[in-house]
Every structure is written in C-alpha cells, then in structure tokens.
Amino acid sequence: MKIWSTEHVFSYPWETVIKAAMRKYPNPMNPNVVGVDVLDRSLDTEGRLHSHRLLSTEWGLPGIVRAILGTNHTQTYVKEHSIVDPEEKKMELCSTNITLTNLISVDERLLYRPHPDNPEVTILTQEAIITVKGVSLSSYLEGMMARRMSANARKGWDAIEWIIQNSERENVPLCDIY
Amino acid sequence: MNSVGEACTDLKRDYDQCFNRWFAEKFLKGDRSGDPCTETFRKYQRCVQKAIKEKDIPVDGVEFMGPNKDKPES
C-alpha cells in the first residue's frame, strides 16, 4: 500500500476554482478521460450538494497488455462522490476505480478550500491510497503509480487553470461553454 | 464531453448546461429556490442507466475504501 499526498494553490478565489472543477472535463491535459456521467445528485439537510459521477478513461492499452491483465475492456471506470458546502466553502471529492479492482485499487481524495492565510486564493489538498494486489514487486509498482499520480496531479491543476482562463478570455461566465 | 453511453451525449449536454447555470448563479450564491433541472436529469438518467446495464459497468458493487476495507473483486 502506498500513500501519496500533495498540495497546490490556485491564484483564484474558491468559487471560481470549484466552478471550473465541476466542469473539468474535457480539457487538453486529461485526454484519457473520455466519458463523464452524473449518476445521482441531491442536497442534504445541511444544504450541501452531493454528486455521484461515473468517469470512463481510455488508456489505449495495447492488446498484449490487455491480454496480460486478463481484460477485454479498453476502458476503465472510476466512481466519484463530491460534496460542495457553500457555507463552509469546502469542496471534497472522493474517487475510486471500479474496474480492474482485482489488480489495483486507487482511492483518491481532493479538498478545495480558501487558503487559511489568504482567502482570495484556493488551496487544494490531494491524497491517494494505492494498493497493487496479487503481484510480486507490488511496492515497486505502487511507487511507480505514485509517481504517475504526481505527474497527473500537475496536469489536473493545469486543467483547472485552463478552464478558468478560457472562460475569462472569452468573457463568458463559467456556465455556458458546453 | 461524451457520456459513457454514446446515445446519451446530447441529453447529457442539455442537463450539464442547466446544472452549470444553476450551480453558478443560484447554488453558490445561497439561493435555495427549486432545482430547474429535474426533468432534464430524469431523461438523461433513463438513458445512462440503460447504457450502464448494457455495458455491464459495476457501479453498485463498490464502496469507497477506508483503510481497512476490501473491495469486491471484479
């Protein structure tokens, strides 16, 4: 099992960042995400918005890799639960893979909040628990996955910035692009 | 962005536009007046649930792992 965590600051206020986070896909930095669907959405008794989403990712795995993994599917699926608290200004996302679970488990948690030292900017805390199962060299593979996640995290931050800047440039409010 | 069910992409787009507008202009501004997107969501959901069944996507089988929980194999 490997635990990985990181922090990033966006130079935009919290509302701007989470509007972008809600509309993160598609973006040029994450071309592997090919489908996003909302499965459920509701407000709880405290006025927080809960969303359950399904993401499909296409890694373009060559046939031989798929044969080794024992899968005919080219797409992997991730389930995500997010909670937006507009009073406390917190957006939390938890995601987990729901395919290839016999091989690997990646549980990720992201939390967007106004920065405690500067409420005009937003801090993102991101952490993941990675477990590779049933394979020797599992700690090596977990280390590799953690490095891959660091690289992907950077792409994710760039993606949020891209969404925000593309909305600003076109002078369009962050709601009518798609 | 496409839906996981190709046939649902247009319905998804309609719902997303409605939701994004409500999210930015009402929800984040503390306006708790009704959700204008329920009908669009219903149509979109019917399509998506059908696609999930057809593609056999295991959406119900997995709980988010805590440190000591194990996922069912799939």
Side-chain angles (χ1 to χ4, degrees):
Chain A
M1 181 168 89
K2 178 126 189 120
I3 297 174
W4 164 89
S5 70
T6 189
E7 269 185 359
H8 179 75
V9 177
F10 295 96
S11 311
Y12 297 95
W14 181 79
E15 286 82 1
T16 305
V17 175
I18 64 152
K19 279 190 280 192
M22 282 304 237
R23 305 168 49 246
K24 192 171 168 189
Y25 305 106
N27 70 74
M29 291 80 184
N30 300 123
N32 291 321
V33 177
V34 297
V36 178
D37 280 301
V38 179
L39 300 179
D40 187 56
R41 202 161 245 158
S42 59
L43 287 170
D44 66 18
T45 49
E46 291 155 59
R48 300 179 305 179
L49 180 71
H50 292 253
S51 308
H52 285 90
R53 299 201 307 175
L54 175 68
L55 283 74
S56 66
T57 58
E58 174 61 73
W59 296 105
L61 294 176
I64 182 121
V65 176
R66 283 188 273 129
I68 292 168
L69 292 177
T71 176
N72 283 324
H73 303 293
T74 58
Q75 297 196 354
T76 54
Y77 294 98
V78 170
K79 203 157 95 161
E80 174 203 89
H81 176 205
S82 64
I83 307 174
V84 181
D85 188 336
E87 304 275 324
E88 301 254 329
K89 298 204 183 189
K90 276 174 28 178
M91 175 173 179
E92 182 177 355
L93 298 94
C94 292
S95 71
T96 189
N97 58 305
I98 58 173
T99 52
L100 300 181
T101 50
N102 56 324
L103 294 170
I104 188 168
S105 179
V106 180
D107 287 352
E108 205 178 358
R109 179 176 174 260
L110 284 78
L111 181 63
Y112 293 91
R113 296 164 292 151
H115 198 290
D117 301 334
N118 177 5
E120 300 301 308
V121 304
T122 303
I123 183 163
L124 164 64
T125 341
Q126 200 168 346
E127 55 196 11
I129 301 175
I130 303 155
T131 311
V132 174
K133 304 172 199 178
V135 185
S136 53
L137 298 178
S138 54
S139 51
Y140 170 77
L141 291 169
E142 286 166 359
M144 210 168 75
M145 266 305 291
R147 281 191 291 281
R148 158 77 76 94
M149 293 198 76
S150 288
N152 284 346
R154 242 158 261 129
K155 285 189 207 165
W157 307 333
D158 290 345
I160 297 285
E161 304 260 351
W162 184 88
I163 298 272
I164 292 171
Q165 283 151 27
N166 274 283
S167 317
E168 283 184 351
R169 195 185 319 133
E170 291 165 8
N171 203 24
V172 170
L174 273 180
C175 37
D176 282 312
I177 293 184
Y178 297 111
Chain B
M1 182 85 271
N2 291 336
S3 166
V4 297
E6 294 79 12
C8 312
T9 296
D10 285 342
L11 293 170
K12 168 189 149 66
R13 214 159 273 156
D14 286 344
Y15 168 69
D16 281 348
Q17 270 178 12
C18 181
F19 169 76
N20 289 331
R21 194 172 301 127
W22 171 82
F23 185 72
E25 294 173 10
K26 303 272 181 189
F27 177 72
L28 286 183
K29 300 193 174 162
D31 184 335
R32 295 274 170 270
S33 59
D35 178 2
C37 308
T38 34
E39 194 45 46
T40 344
F41 187 63
R42 219 188 313 249
K43 284 189 217 165
Y44 164 49
Q45 273 308 291
R46 270 200 292 268
C47 186
V48 166
Q49 292 298 333
K50 189 156 161 275
I52 286 171
K53 265 200 195 73
E54 280 168 6
K55 298 192 174 198
D56 218 6
I57 303 173
V59 289
D60 291 321
V62 184
E63 294 297 319
F64 290 100
M65 252 174 98
N68 297 312
K69 255 159 83 164
D70 251 320
K71 282 187 202 169
E73 311 254 303
S74 108

